[in-house]
């Protein structure tokens, strides 16, 4: 378990994932009934962009570093504004910081909503505890997120979002993620699930989608986004998200957001795709 998200915090892949996260949580907030946010791989919550990790790779400069100063015109401003407003006070710190998914979600949860976050790496967990420990409605678990997810669903609210955001360092990660999602979905078919994944080998990403569909999971939206042509070697240039039971407006919002984001963050051969897996 060598993965350290601080090297990648705020890069194009985080921006893509966190914009989608904010749009889904805003949809859940639109109804007064409480919802639950569950995250299997939470990370440490907050990242210093000038640190030895983030500063060394400077991946954030091609992600939030480009997006934050850009000024999207309406209606994109409305779609991206909530995410950018959450990040702004962290970016304005000296040194600048980037808020990860737990802090973005916390900013969008209401008093009646709850969040459960798993993080296995002891150092990342300690940081997460320093950032969010003791906050109302927040429970943190220093445990394997796949095991946590199987135990936490269905939540008593019966509405909510699960974010599965593994490091994908281990070749078995796609299978572990698909297996856990399949089991969670059978226990809670009405939940919204988002799995982020890298696209280094487009065939492996496509096989992951087929793997999910073969488990009988319905209504899977596949989104992919690239800043340049994907390659097996680093740096990462393309990533994707499978979203089960996406909010009905998400595909049309993504059609507006992703071309603009590709133009803003593109570095060579930007692009995106949005499609439903067969059988939805
Ligand atoms: N979701 C975070 C965000 O968007 O801000 C980033 C998470 S990062 C991509 C993946 C995290 O998963 C790392 O912090 C890593 O320590 C943690 N991790 C690795 N294996 C895990 C496991 N089996 N269960 C829970 N966390 C794990």
């Amino acid at each position: 378990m060598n993965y350290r998200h601080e090297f990648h915090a705020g890069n194009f892949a985080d921006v893509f994932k966190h914009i989608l996260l904010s749009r889904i949580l805003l949809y859940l907030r639109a109804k007064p009934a409480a919802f639950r946010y569950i995250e299997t791989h939470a990370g440490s919550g907050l990242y210093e962009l000038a640190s030895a990790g983030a500063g060394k790779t400077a991946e954030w400069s091609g992600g939030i570093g480009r997006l934050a100063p850009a000024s999207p015109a309406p209606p994109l401003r409305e779609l991206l504004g909530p995410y950018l407003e959450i990040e702004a006070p962290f970016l304005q710190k000296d040194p600048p910081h980037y808020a990860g998914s737990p802090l973005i979600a916390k900013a969008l949860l209401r008093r009646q909503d709850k969040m459960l976050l798993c993080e296995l790496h002891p150092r990342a967990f300690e940081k997460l505890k320093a950032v969010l420990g003791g906050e109302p409605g927040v429970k943190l678990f220093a445990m394997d997120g796949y095991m946590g997810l199987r135990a936490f669903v269905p939540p008593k609210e019966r509405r909510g979002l699960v974010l599965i955001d593994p490091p994908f360092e281990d070749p078995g990660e796609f299978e572990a993620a698909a297996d856990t999602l399949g089991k969670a979905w059978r226990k809670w078919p009405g939940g919204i699930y988002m799995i982020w994944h890298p696209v280094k080998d487009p065939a492996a990403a496509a096989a992951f989608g087929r793997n999910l569909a073969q488990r009988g999971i319905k209504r899977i939206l596949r989104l992919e986004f690239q800043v340049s042509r994907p390659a097996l070697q680093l740096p990462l240039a393309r990533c994707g998200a499978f979203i089960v039971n996406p909010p009905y407006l998400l595909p049309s919002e993504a059609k507006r957001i992703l071309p603009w984001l590709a133009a803003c963050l593109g570095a060579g051969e930007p692009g995106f795709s949005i499609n439903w897996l067969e059988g939805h």
Side-chain angles (χ1 to χ4, degrees):
M1 218 177 43
N2 297 319
Y3 180 87
R4 288 172 58 195
H5 195 64
E6 52 263 47
F7 288 108
H8 312 294
N11 69 1
F12 80 93
D14 256 9
V15 165
F16 165 77
K17 168 179 51 182
H18 293 153
I19 290 172
L20 294 173
L21 172 67
S22 69
R23 296 315 309 165
I24 297 172
L25 290 171
L26 284 157
Y27 162 83
L28 284 165
R29 275 170 64 112
K31 285 189 189 153
F35 67 86
R36 192 164 295 215
Y37 174 69
I38 299 171
E39 192 164 347
T40 54
H41 298 72
S44 53
L46 186 62
Y47 303 91
E48 185 187 319
L49 294 180
S51 71
K56 197 167 142 195
T57 56
E59 285 187 23
W60 64 273
S61 61
I64 193 67
R66 281 201 197 181
L67 176 59
S71 40
L76 273 165
R77 193 179 301 157
E78 282 156 41
L79 297 175
L80 302 181
Y83 161 65
L84 289 171
E85 281 160 26
I86 292 167
E87 292 296 346
F90 297 104
L91 290 168
Q92 282 155 16
K93 278 176 180 263
D94 185 16
H97 283 64
Y98 182 78
S101 48
L103 276 179
I104 295 170
K106 180 71 178 100
L108 293 172
L109 260 59
R110 305 155 303 175
R111 200 187 297 209
Q112 64 268 43
D113 308 321
K114 295 200 166 34
M115 62 200 278
L116 306 179
L117 308 173
C118 297
E119 170 54 52
L120 192 55
H121 196 291
R123 198 178 41 208
F125 184 79
E126 282 313 307
K127 283 193 180 173
L128 183 65
K129 209 161 82 177
V131 169
L132 275 174
E135 287 284 328
V138 179
K139 280 197 181 146
L140 308 177
F141 299 87
M143 70 182 290
D144 173 42
Y146 295 129
M147 200 183 282
L149 179 57
R150 291 199 287 268
F152 297 152
V153 295
K156 73 172 180 356
E157 297 86 354
R158 298 278 167 167
R159 58 192 299 265
L161 168 66
V162 173
L163 174 60
I164 303 175
D165 184 22
F168 286 98
E169 282 183 312
D170 174 353
E173 194 87 82
F174 277 114
E175 182 57 28
D179 181 56
T180 305
L181 178 56
K183 288 181 174 134
W185 181 83
R186 275 194 291 282
K187 287 177 75 181
W188 185 31
I192 303 173
Y193 300 84
M194 169 160 127
I195 304 192
W196 178 90
H197 63 93
V199 183
K200 291 178 191 161
D201 172 6
F208 183 45
R210 283 196 299 278
N211 189 338
L212 294 177
Q214 279 160 8
R215 287 165 199 271
I217 302 172
K218 303 278 185 289
R219 297 197 71 239
I220 308 176
L221 182 69
R222 174 170 53 198
L223 304 168
E224 290 193 5
F225 176 69
Q226 74 181 46
V227 286
S228 57
R229 188 194 285 267
L232 281 176
Q233 300 82 8
L234 289 173
L236 187 67
R238 185 176 176 98
C239 66
F242 288 95
I243 305 179
V244 179
N245 296 321
Y248 73 104
L249 281 175
L250 194 70
S252 64
E253 290 185 352
K255 276 183 195 147
R256 283 187 281 158
I257 292 169
L258 294 183
W260 187 88
L261 199 62
C264 180
L265 305 186
E269 209 175 303
F272 65 92
S273 64
I274 304 169
N275 55 282
W276 290 95
L277 292 199
E278 274 173 41
H280 81 278

